[in-house]
Amino acid sequence: MTPPSAAYWCERAWLPDGVVVRVRVEVADGLIRTVQAGADPRPGDTRLPGVVLPGLANAHSHAFHRALRGWTDGALPGPTDGALPGGRGDFWSWRRQMYALAEALDPDGYHALARAVFAEMVLAGVTAVGEFHYLHHPPGGGRYADPNAMAAALRAAAEEAGLRLTLLDACYLTGDLGEPLTGVQHRFGDGDAAGWAERVDLLRPDAGFRVGAAVHSVRAVPREQVSEVVRWAGEKDAPLHAHLSEQPAENARCRAAYGRTPAQVLDDAGFLGPGSTVVHAVHVTDDDVALVGRSGTTVCLCPTTERDLADGIAPAGALRDAGSPWCVGTDQHVAVDVLAEARAVEMHERLATGRRGTFSPAELVDAATVAGHRSLGWADAGALVAGARADLVAVRTDSVRTAGSDPAQVALVAGAEDVRTVVVDGRVVVDDGVHRLGDVGRLLADAVGAVRARADR
Ligand SMILES: [Zn+2]
C-alpha cells in the first residue's frame, strides 16, 4: 500500500546543520519531497510540536531477550558457576538464563514477542532495527518446513509493528572456539558457512526488509568460515556485523586458539571495512582500536546492556578518533531507548576519562539516526532532507524531563517517553504517544508471559 502524501509543519526540526525553527516537510510515496525552513503552516498540515528528529535506528537487537527484563536480578536457578546468590553473577550466568528462554520459543511465540518488542521500539522513535538473529531451527537442531520460519516470524512482526527490519542473519557453528554445539545451541547451527548461506539465500528482501549477514563471534565461527560469510556479504553488498570482544574470556580463548585477538582474527578473514559493523568492542587493545578505526569499520555500542551484563566500557572516544563511525543498539533490551543509549556512550566516557563532552550533542543524534541506518544498509534514511525516506520523530520539549532545555541538547535529556509522533516511510505509526497496535504494554505482558510460561515448565 502506497502511503498517502502529506505535509508536516514542525515547530523545530533537526536538519543536517542543526535545529531549525518553523520547518515544513512535504511527503509523498514514503519519501521526503521538500524541506522548507522558516515556513508558515498551511491548511491541512499536521502540526508537530517540540523538536522533530530524523528516524532513529536501533542497530543491534535480540528481540527475544526482552523477555528477560526484570527476571535476571533475583536468585539464579541451576548450576552456580559464575552465579552467586541474590542475583549476583556475570555475563555467563546471565547467558544460562537466556538459553533457557531460547529453548522455549517457537515461530508463533517468537512472532508475538517480537511484534510487541518492535512496537515498543517504534514508540521510542525507532524506524529501523537490526535484528541479530541466530535462533534459526527447532529444538534439537532439525529444520522447520520453512527453514526460515523464525526469520519469517520476525519479518511479519516488524511489518505489523511498522518499522523497517534488517535481518542480520547470524552464522553460528561452534560452541566455544572449536567446541561442538551443545543444548540449545543446536538451534543456532547450520553445519557450516555453506549451509548457512544456502538457507539465507532463500530470504527475499523488499522495500522494508533487508537481509544482512552476521558472524556471531569468533567464539562461534571458526576463522576459515568467517571468510566464507564475508565473501557472501561482499557478493550481495549486504551489511555485515559481528560481536567483538564483549568479554575478557572471549579474548583469552581466542588468543589461546589462534595467538591473535578477536579483532585481528576478523581482520585476517577480511571482515573489517566500511561496510562492516562490530558490536561492543569493549575489551579491545590499543592495536585493535587502531586496526578497527583505520579500516573504517563502524562500531555499534550498547551501553545499557554492557553495564547490565557487567561487560565493561568500550573506548568509544578512542575508536572514533581512530576513524570508526559509531551507532547504538539496545541489544538485550533492559531498556528500549535509543536516545538514552547514545547519551550513555557519552556518560560512560565521562566516567572512564574524567572529562565531559567527548561527543557533542549533534554527534549523539548522528549516531542514533544516520550512522545507525547506514550500518543497517538504509543509506537513504536518517536525515531530514529531500529524497530521504520520510521518517519523522517528534519529541516533546514540554515534558518534565525536557521543559526549559535547549532543543539542540535534546539528546542529553529526552527519552523514549518523550516521543509523541512517529512517521515511518510516510506512514504515521505512533500518533500522540499511541501506537497503531494499541496498548503495547499489554502486548508485551501477554507475549512475555506466554514465553516465560513455556520456559518455566
Ligand atoms: Zn548481541
Side-chain angles (χ1 to χ4, degrees):
M1 190 184 73
T2 306
S5 59
Y8 297 90
W9 184 82
C10 313
E11 190 181 11
R12 293 183 189 80
W14 191 285
L15 303 188
D17 291 332
V19 176
V20 174
V21 296
R22 303 175 67 79
V23 177
R24 193 164 179 276
V25 179
E26 287 183 337
V27 168
D29 302 326
L31 300 175
I32 294 174
R33 295 300 175 188
T34 62
V35 178
Q36 191 187 355
D40 291 325
R42 298 183 196 170
D45 286 1
T46 300
R47 289 176 182 237
L48 298 177
V51 58
V52 174
L53 302 179
L56 307 182
N58 190 356
H60 191 68
S61 161
H62 306 283
F64 77 90
H65 294 187
R66 173 62 180 79
L68 290 165
R69 187 194 297 179
W71 288 96
T72 58
D73 291 282
L76 293 165
T80 55
D81 58 297
L84 297 165
R88 294 162 66 198
D90 58 14
F91 173 89
W92 307 101
S93 57
W94 171 87
R95 191 179 77 161
R96 241 188 3 257
Q97 293 176 287
M98 186 269 280
Y99 276 5
L101 196 70
E103 287 276 21
L105 282 161
D106 62 10
D108 287 346
Y110 207 4
H111 169 256
L113 179 57
R115 178 174 178 263
V117 176
F118 291 156
E120 181 184 1
M121 289 181 197
V122 188
L123 276 178
V126 174
T127 53
V129 59
E131 177 66 22
F132 197 109
H133 170 57
Y134 53 83
L135 189 57
H136 305 303
H137 304 300
R143 293 291 180 268
Y144 289 112
D146 169 3
N148 288 306
M150 295 297 257
L154 290 166
R155 181 178 189 163
E159 261 176 37
E160 291 163 40
L163 81 178
R164 293 185 297 278
L165 170 66
T166 297
L167 186 82
L168 299 162
D169 195 299
C171 184
Y172 196 119
L173 303 174
T174 60
D176 259 329
L177 269 156
E179 298 293 317
L181 299 175
T182 59
V184 71
Q185 291 172 340
H186 289 292
R187 301 193 68 177
F188 313 160
D190 290 296
D192 55 22
W196 166 85
E198 199 175 312
R199 179 180 53 72
V200 177
D201 278 334
L202 300 172
L203 294 163
R204 292 282 166 261
D206 65 29
F209 174 68
R210 291 208 63 166
V211 180
V215 170
H216 179 276
S217 57
V218 298
R219 284 186 283 121
V221 185
R223 61 178 166 184
E224 70 281 3
Q225 303 280 307
V226 174
S227 316
E228 296 296 306
V229 178
V230 170
R231 203 178 48 166
W232 183 94
E235 282 170 8
K236 310 283 177 183
D237 195 22
L240 177 62
H241 285 223
H243 291 123
L244 174 69
S245 292
E246 181 172 8
Q247 281 284 323
E250 173 183 319
N251 287 13
R253 289 171 197 160
C254 187
R255 281 183 191 277
Y258 298 127
R260 309 277 282 160
T261 65
Q264 288 170 328
V265 170
L266 289 182
D267 185 46
D268 293 345
F271 180 99
L272 301 180
S276 298
T277 299
V278 291
V279 184
H280 303 305
V282 170
H283 298 283
V284 283
T285 66
D286 291 348
D287 286 348
D288 290 342
V289 169
L291 184 65
V292 170
R294 195 165 59 235
S295 69
T297 304
T298 295
V299 178
C300 181
L301 304 164
C302 308
T304 67
T305 291
E306 287 147 11
R307 68 188 181 217
D308 184 69
L309 298 184
D311 290 335
I313 299 175
L319 285 159
R320 187 267 321 265
D321 292 345
S324 280
W326 64 281
C327 57
V328 291
T330 64
D331 194 357
Q332 44 88 302
H333 312 308
V334 68
V336 170
D337 191 334
V338 169
L339 289 176
E341 213 70 48
R343 169 160 72 245
V345 172
E346 163 65 14
M347 293 301 157
H348 289 189
E349 191 76 6
R350 291 181 189 187
L351 290 171
T353 65
R355 290 181 183 278
R356 308 178 85 231
T358 297
F359 299 103
S360 68
E363 281 181 283
L364 303 186
V365 173
D366 277 0
T369 56
V370 67
H373 275 103
R374 201 182 304 120
S375 163
L376 298 177
W378 306 102
D380 54 352
L384 297 177
V385 294
R389 286 172 177 264
D391 297 345
L392 291 87
V393 177
V395 177
R396 290 178 60 168
T397 49
D398 61 349
S399 74
V400 291
R401 289 161 297 278
T402 57
S405 54
D406 176 356
Q409 299 186 25
V410 68
L412 276 301
V413 296
E417 56 274 44
D418 298 310
V419 172
R420 185 185 182 110
T421 302
V422 182
V423 178
V424 186
D425 287 328
R427 296 184 184 87
V428 178
V429 183
V430 173
D431 188 7
D432 205 14
V434 180
H435 192 283
R436 68 184 187 191
L437 290 176
D439 183 350
V440 176
R442 182 79 254 156
L443 294 177
L444 282 163
D446 289 348
V448 170
V451 171
R452 295 208 66 89
R454 286 173 62 104
D456 295 340
R457 261 211 300 268

